[in-house]
């Protein structure tokens, strides 16, 4: 998680980029001070040196072009996983999953402490 100093410099760089102004340590410092945020003195120069090599536009484009990683299926959704994997019999798999879940929920006539259900 970024610190307040990092976040202030990121926002300052985004504002400067949006306005078409050079992203320099002086400009970042000016915006940060105008916002009333106190930052460590090395952050503005660090950001300006980074953004000399890579533009803010390239960073933004790179974020939107990142591949989306599919989440792992949860234990209760084998039908969705089978359908996603190309399984052609998803409804049957859903029925099997429900049947397995019912079997797991069966307490076999025992209570929480291992005794019989003699209420």
């Amino acid at each position: 998680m970024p610190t307040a100093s990092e976040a202030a410099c990121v926002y300052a760089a985004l504002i400067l980029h949006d306005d078409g102004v050079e992203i320099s340590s002086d400009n970042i410092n000016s915006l940060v001070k105008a916002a009333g945020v106190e930052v460590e003195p090395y952050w503005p120069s660090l950001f300006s040196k980074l953004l000399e090599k890579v533009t803010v536009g390239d960073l933004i484009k790179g974020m939107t072009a990142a591949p989306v990683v599919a989440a792992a299926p949860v234990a209760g959704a084998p039908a969705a996983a089978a359908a996603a994997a190309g399984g052609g019999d998803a409804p049957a798999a859903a029925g099997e999953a429900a049947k397995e879940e019912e079997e797991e929920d069966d307490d076999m006539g025992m209570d929480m402490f291992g005794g019989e259900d003699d209420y």
Side-chain angles (χ1 to χ4, degrees):
M1 179 163 223
T3 65
S5 296
E6 290 172 293
C9 290
V10 167
Y11 292 136
L14 288 171
I15 291 168
L16 292 169
H17 171 74
D18 190 49
D19 288 344
V21 178
E22 178 190 6
I23 301 174
S24 66
S25 59
D26 291 336
N27 289 341
I28 291 173
N29 270 325
S30 297
L31 274 175
V32 169
K33 286 181 183 179
V37 180
E38 194 172 312
V39 298
E40 288 88 0
Y42 59 88
W43 283 115
S45 62
L46 187 70
F47 272 85
S48 66
K49 286 182 183 183
L50 167 74
L51 295 172
E52 286 174 1
K53 297 177 183 179
V54 180
T55 66
V56 173
D58 289 341
L59 290 173
I60 292 171
K61 287 176 191 173
M63 288 176 54
T64 59
V68 177
V69 178
V74 294
D89 201 10
E96 291 174 16
K99 186 176 180 181
E100 288 177 16
E101 187 174 321
E102 286 176 17
E103 290 174 5
E104 290 175 8
D105 290 341
D106 188 15
D107 65 352
M108 297 184 195
M110 302 175 88
D111 68 4
M112 186 166 85
F113 301 106
E116 299 286 329
D117 286 335
D118 293 334
Y119 305 123

